Each structure stands twice: as C-alpha cells, then as structure tokens.
C-alpha cells in the first residue's frame, strides 16, 4: 500500500511559514506597545516622585523647576500617547494579517485531514478486498 501524500503539502508549508511570520510580527508590535506602556508608567512615577519631593517646599526656584519638569513630563506623556495610538493601529493590522493566515492554514489542514481520511477508507477497503480474494483462493 502506498503512503498518503497531500498534493497541496507545499502550499500548506508555505501557509504555515506565513502564519509563523505573522505571529512574529504581532509579537514585535505587542512588544512596542508594552515598551511604550512601561515608559508611561515611568513618567507617572517621576511625576509622583517630584510631587512628593516638593511637598512643603517654599523655594521659588524649586517651584519653577518643578513646573518646568512637569511640563516636560506632560510633553513626553503626550508624545508617548501618540506613539501608543499608532502602535495599537499597527498591532491591530498585524492581528488581522495573522487571522487571515490562520484561516487559510486551517482550511488547508481540514482539506488535508479530509483527504487523508478518504485515503484511509479507500486503503482499508482495498485491503479488505485483497483479504477476501486471498481467502477465496485458499478455498479453491
């Protein structure tokens, strides 16, 4: 009995490669989002530290410095929020690409499984026919 071969195996391999590539791209996009979120947390911590260190200070220079530093943190926060919005768009695009790759891959895998089942049924039938034929030959 010959072995099962799926005529679209190379296509399936290519689709799996595409899917793995899309997964890698999505992981990179998610890493960018995570890094931006971490930077936003650092800014929030810096803002809180500055506020707590300035409690009770009545020095005009300290108050002006804190105001300037807070404006810098606000600017950095706004820039990071813009970057985060862009990163979220990229991430969603990468997710959509991955979904499409997965759909194509799953469809081919189902087709392969269906063909393999059909091949197995045909092989089992052929084997049963050969056994019946061999039994008939023995009785003769």
């Amino acid at each position: 009995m010959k072995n099962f071969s799926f005529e679209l195996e190379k296509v399936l391999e290519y689709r799996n490669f595409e899917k793995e590539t899309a997964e890698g791209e999505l992981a990179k996009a998610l890493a960018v989002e995570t890094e931006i979120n971490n930077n936003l947390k650092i800014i929030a911590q810096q803002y809180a530290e500055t506020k707590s260190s300035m409690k009770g200070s009545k020095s005009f220079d300290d108050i002006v410095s804190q105001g300037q530093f807070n404006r810098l943190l606000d600017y950095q926060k706004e820039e990071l929020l813009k970057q985060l919005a862009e990163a979220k768009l990229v991430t969603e695009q990468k997710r959509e690409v991955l979904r499409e790759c997965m759909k194509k891959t799953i469809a081919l895998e189902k087709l392969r499984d269906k063909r393999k089942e059909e091949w197995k049924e045909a092989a089992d039938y052929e084997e049963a026919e050969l056994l019946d034929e061999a039994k008939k030959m023995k009785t003769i």
Side-chain angles (χ1 to χ4, degrees):
M1 177 185 339
K2 70 177 193 171
N3 289 336
F4 172 76
S5 69
F6 183 54
E7 63 273 4
L8 298 173
E9 190 66 36
K10 292 290 183 188
V11 175
L12 181 58
E13 288 173 11
Y14 176 71
R15 296 287 188 213
N16 280 324
F17 172 76
E18 279 183 325
K19 184 178 85 170
E20 290 169 6
T21 302
E23 288 170 344
E25 292 295 318
L26 177 59
K28 288 177 188 176
L30 289 171
V32 168
E33 271 190 52
T34 302
E35 182 179 348
I36 293 170
N37 281 323
N38 288 339
N39 289 337
L40 284 168
K41 287 177 186 175
I42 290 169
I43 288 175
Q45 287 172 345
Q46 289 176 335
Y47 185 79
E49 288 170 6
T50 302
K51 190 172 183 176
S52 68
S53 70
M54 291 302 295
K55 274 191 175 174
S57 177
K58 295 183 180 169
S59 167
F60 181 74
D61 291 336
D62 288 345
I63 294 170
V64 169
S65 293
Q66 180 191 13
Q68 289 174 340
F69 187 66
N70 285 344
R71 282 191 291 282
L72 172 65
L73 291 177
D74 287 340
Y75 174 77
Q76 289 176 340
K77 179 181 79 172
E78 290 301 317
E79 288 301 311
L80 286 172
L81 289 173
K82 288 177 189 175
Q83 291 175 14
L84 183 60
E86 292 172 9
K88 285 186 180 286
L89 289 173
V90 170
T91 299
E92 193 52 43
Q93 291 170 348
K94 301 296 182 185
R95 271 194 185 100
E96 186 58 34
V97 168
L98 179 59
R99 267 188 226 109
E100 288 301 315
C101 288
M102 290 176 75
K103 283 180 188 176
K104 292 175 183 177
T105 303
I106 289 170
L108 280 174
E109 287 172 346
K110 285 182 179 179
L111 178 63
R112 179 194 60 201
D113 294 345
K114 181 181 175 189
R115 296 261 173 91
K116 189 170 187 176
E117 185 62 33
E118 290 170 353
W119 170 83
K120 185 170 177 6
E121 287 173 7
D124 289 347
Y125 178 78
E126 185 179 317
E127 186 177 324
E129 287 292 317
L130 287 174
L131 285 174
D132 285 346
E133 202 171 294
K135 286 179 184 176
K136 287 180 185 176
M137 294 296 245
K138 279 187 177 181
T139 58
I140 297 181

